[in-house]
Amino acid sequence: MKEKLINGLNLLLVADVFFILFAFFWFAIAVIGRSMNLNLGLDIWQQLWEPLFNPALGLFMGGALLSGIISWISKRFPAKE
């Protein structure tokens, strides 16, 4: 049960990292485009910041903390077989 939880959490965190990287590259390209007077979606990105990207960052931070705590507890109190 614990292993399934950890594997599921790790899979979710990996997917979330790629989503966050996508959002970051979109933001960087859109800012560069804005400086060159090109519309590359910065306005859309800003509208999606609060409902989509901000929770993704929070999920990543919370999941990383939870994963670390689970790992620490597993090492501190090994399971008896």
Side-chain angles (χ1 to χ4, degrees):
M1 174 75 174
K2 182 182 78 168
E3 291 300 320
K4 281 188 175 184
L5 175 68
I6 291 172
N7 288 339
L9 180 61
N10 287 337
L11 182 65
L12 178 69
L13 289 175
V14 168
D16 198 30
V17 164
F18 283 110
F19 180 71
I20 291 169
L21 286 173
F22 165 76
F24 170 73
F25 287 123
W26 178 11
F27 175 72
I29 291 168
V31 168
I32 292 168
R34 172 73 55 99
S35 70
M36 295 180 194
N37 292 325
L38 296 171
N39 185 9
L40 297 177
L42 185 61
D43 295 331
I44 296 170
W45 193 95
Q46 288 174 332
Q47 290 174 353
L48 292 174
W49 167 252
E50 193 170 335
L52 189 62
F53 301 134
N54 201 1
L57 287 169
L59 179 70
F60 177 71
M61 289 184 225
L65 286 172
L66 183 61
S67 179
I69 290 169
I70 290 171
S71 175
W72 179 79
I73 289 173
S74 295
K75 288 179 184 175
R76 179 97 172 160
F77 305 106
K80 296 177 183 173
E81 294 180 20

